[in-house]
Amino acid sequence: MKQKNDNNDIKLVTNIPKELSTKERGGHKVRTGREIVDRSKLEQIIVKESGEKQPNTYTGHTYKNIGEKFRLDGHKLIYHIERILKWQKGERVAPVTIDMGLTKFCNTACIYCIGVTQGGFTKGQMIEPDALMRLIEDCGRLDVKGIAFIGDGEPTLNPAMYDAVVLAKKIGIDIGIGTNGLKIDMNRAEDILRDATYIRINLSAGSREGFTKIHQSSPDNFDMLLEKIKTMVKIRKKNDYKCTIGIQMVLIPENFNEIMKLAKIGANLGVDYLQIKQCSDTEYHELGISPKDYERVQDVLKEAEKQSTENYLVKVKWNKINIMDETEVYRGGFRKYDICYGTPLLGQISGNGKVYPCGPFFEKKRFLMGDINRDSYYDIVKSDRYWNVQQDIVNNVDVHCDCTIGCRQDYINKFLWDLKNPPEHINFI
């Protein structure tokens, strides 16, 4: 409440209930006036009749945090500290992970496809089988930990994909696959489920009509795809394979009404997760995505996440969906870092075999590092050209202007930016 004194000055007065009045304790005052527990006498700790656990009983842990099985809205670079330390010292390190395409064409025409804007889409153009196998072997020599076939084109259209998965497993490299799923060779599905770490089906609709509209594909293909997913789930279960099977929904206004349908379909299919992610637009906003549109479906997205069960996770990538607010990596639409440091640790290769530091730089000659159809990837990573391009990124790329919104590198860039820009007093942790 407010009170006025004789000089008409206003001062704030807080009315504290009598039971919360202060009481002096050895010259000090305790706000509540309550009795202070004698920490030396644990017998004073009384267990409530309700059985509610009380402090200072020391009877073991109370677990409140469910273990995170899949980290879909963040990064895992912290589990590769040895590589980070070498990078910090300025050493020429190989990527921990490589994202790559296997082709430069696709059998669908998804209306949100950023790959089309990156140029060079040519039917039939792909990485040659021998070059792909050589790449896998080179990655083993370089100690690359994982390769994700999630690039610009549809990976299952490259017939060498299955042999590459098998070879990588033998060498000790984890493989992930992002695919529209329509052209998966079911005669070789077992190779994927046995040897790959995950397969993620890009499905952004939960109905035949939505599938036709979003993926520009036949409605019959929707039914066929669901059957393929069901079959893969059965094969995995029968053979006790460990490959994760997930679904990814790219969120755009045209499929807002498909969110709940797809969340329920994922549960019925028996997949491990449904990931709902932002649509990454180009630096020229060629896809016409406005992050503000996502504000309209916040409640629907939260309701979709409630479809999660013990064996099925629905996860919205809130850090990218809410970039116009404040998240771990964005504030008001701008990144919380100013320099892209992540490209040496997360490599990228286009579906035609050309090596670039980042997907949005595909077909830009300034950033071309080499071509695995002609050269050894091992030699490319060790070359001066490769590292000169990396330095060009650090020196000259403005992440707030030159880059796509919702970049693949965002999470690790924020982490590396914090490493490069520590606060004062770091020894007081």
Side-chain angles (χ1 to χ4, degrees), residues 3-10:
Q3 290 184 350
K4 288 186 177 181
N5 57 23
D6 294 339
N7 297 323
N8 284 327
D9 294 327
I10 297 177

Side-chain angles (χ1 to χ4, degrees), residues 1-4 9-15:
M1 60 177 290
K2 297 180 179 178
Q3 290 184 350
K4 288 186 177 181
D9 294 327
I10 297 177
K11 64 178 181 178
L12 294 175
V13 177
T14 303
N15 290 324

Side-chain angles (χ1 to χ4, degrees), residues 30-74:
V30 177
R31 176 182 178 273
T32 63
R34 294 172 182 164
E35 293 298 321
I36 302 300
V37 175
D38 184 349
R39 268 71 171 170
S40 69
K41 297 179 180 179
L42 292 181
E43 60 268 19
Q44 285 192 5
I45 309 300
I46 300 174
V47 177
K48 293 183 179 180
E49 293 182 2
S50 65
E52 181 182 345
K53 190 172 182 178
Q54 297 299 296
N56 295 311
T57 53
Y58 305 109
T59 55
H61 304 290
T62 301
Y63 290 96
K64 304 293 186 183
N65 296 285
I66 299 174
E68 186 181 33
K69 187 174 183 180
F70 305 112
R71 184 168 298 170
L72 302 176
D73 195 19

Side-chain angles (χ1 to χ4, degrees), residues 5 22 33 40 54 79 135 313-314 341 372 398 403 412-413 428:
N5 57 23
T22 59
S40 69
Q54 297 299 296
Y79 301 104
L135 169 78
L313 173 69
V314 179
Y341 288 118
I372 66 169
D398 183 344
C403 300
I412 64 173
N413 272 330
F428 298 90

Side-chain angles (χ1 to χ4, degrees), residues 102-108 113 115-128 152-154 157-158 350-354 363:
L102 297 184
T103 71
K104 289 289 284 187
F105 61 104
C106 191
N107 55 310
T108 60
C113 180
V116 175
T117 70
Q118 294 169 353
F121 257 44
T122 305
K123 187 174 182 179
Q125 189 177 25
M126 65 179 71
I127 296 175
E128 294 298 323
D152 33 4
E154 168 55 38
L157 297 179
N158 189 322
S350 180
N352 57 12
K354 294 181 179 180
E363 303 303 318

